[in-house]
Amino acid sequence: MSIKDIITVPDETLKKKSDSIEKVGLNEKKLIKDLFETMYHYNGIGLAAVQVGVLKRILVIDVSSKDEKKEPLTFINPIIKKVSNKTSIHEEGCLSIPDTFIEIERPKICEVEYIDINGNMKNLKCDGLLSTCLQHEINHLDGKLIIDHLSKLKRDLIIKKISKSKKNPDRIIV
Ligand code: NI
């Protein structure tokens, strides 16, 4: 297992659509372990394979709180089958967009069909944080980021700010 580097905006890879998985083989299982290790290391609650530069439709999620037992969930080739009309708003961040939080309105409940780590087809009805997180991660598989919910002007400002801070490796936040 290893902790992978997470790619950040404006890396063009993040805009690409990920490919479906034909079979859950050893490579995929190793990738899933790395995704979990990377996600936990960076204190994320979800991570898509594209965020470590692998264009496969795989994502991992764990929305359990810190003092609870871990609840790792793996979604392979996830498809949203149904969404509720009722929406909810969360302030969302993203490991690929440092220091940026955006309020996003999404369907409150979603039903997803996916393949689990053992290669079995599953269905899951998700609500609350899990539903929001899953929709955010599935967006990643289609090359869509939280900043795409903003106007071009706001989006460009955020990307400019992040690109600038990358050029100043000595910068500290206190
Ligand atoms: Ni994200």
Side-chain angles (χ1 to χ4, degrees):
M1 292 217 291
S2 55
I3 296 165
K4 301 282 185 193
D5 287 336
I6 292 181
I7 57 175
T8 53
V9 291
D11 193 311
E12 291 290 317
T13 309
L14 292 167
K15 290 185 183 172
K16 291 187 179 151
K17 206 172 149 94
S18 295
D19 296 319
S20 293
I21 301 298
E22 305 255 312
K23 184 174 163 273
V24 188
L26 279 180
N27 282 340
E28 285 72 25
K29 287 189 177 170
K30 191 188 168 298
L31 172 65
I32 290 162
K33 279 186 183 163
D34 289 345
L35 286 173
F36 275 116
E37 197 174 353
T38 306
M39 180 184 78
Y40 289 130
H41 178 78
Y42 289 103
N43 293 319
I45 58 168
L47 189 65
V50 55
Q51 293 179 275
V52 300
V54 181
L55 288 163
K56 291 183 177 179
R57 298 188 84 79
I58 298 178
L59 60 90
V60 299
I61 290 180
D62 188 339
V63 292
S64 64
S65 51
K66 279 209 176 73
D67 43 355
E68 279 173 358
K69 199 172 153 271
K70 282 190 174 124
E71 278 176 33
L73 291 169
T74 304
F75 297 86
I76 299 162
N77 298 347
I79 297 170
I80 291 183
K81 289 290 185 183
K82 222 171 150 184
V83 294
S84 62
N85 289 327
K86 201 175 171 195
T87 59
S88 61
I89 298 175
H90 276 101
E91 197 175 29
E92 297 182 27
C94 180
L95 291 172
S96 293
I97 312 170
D99 307 322
T100 305
F101 292 89
I102 301 166
E103 274 192 355
I104 295 177
E105 183 175 16
R106 300 182 188 270
K108 186 174 181 295
I109 298 166
C110 68
E111 281 181 45
V112 64
E113 189 180 275
Y114 65 101
I115 297 169
D116 73 4
I117 193 161
N118 300 312
N120 300 317
M121 283 294 282
K122 291 271 173 82
N123 274 284
L124 189 67
K125 192 172 180 177
C126 308
D127 196 352
L129 188 56
L130 177 59
S131 174
T132 297
C133 184
L134 186 61
Q135 292 174 63
H136 174 123
E137 298 308 329
I138 291 176
N139 280 168
H140 272 300
L141 302 183
D142 293 320
K144 192 173 179 191
L145 300 168
I146 51 172
I147 48 174
D148 295 324
H149 289 256
L150 301 173
S151 67
K152 190 179 182 306
L153 185 73
K154 277 189 185 165
R155 186 162 65 232
D156 288 348
L157 274 175
I158 288 172
I159 292 172
K160 206 170 145 191
K161 203 175 90 193
I162 291 169
S163 306
K164 245 190 204 164
S165 68
K166 271 190 208 160
K167 283 183 199 128
N168 287 318
D170 292 336
R171 205 175 111 180
I172 54 162
I173 300 166
V174 289

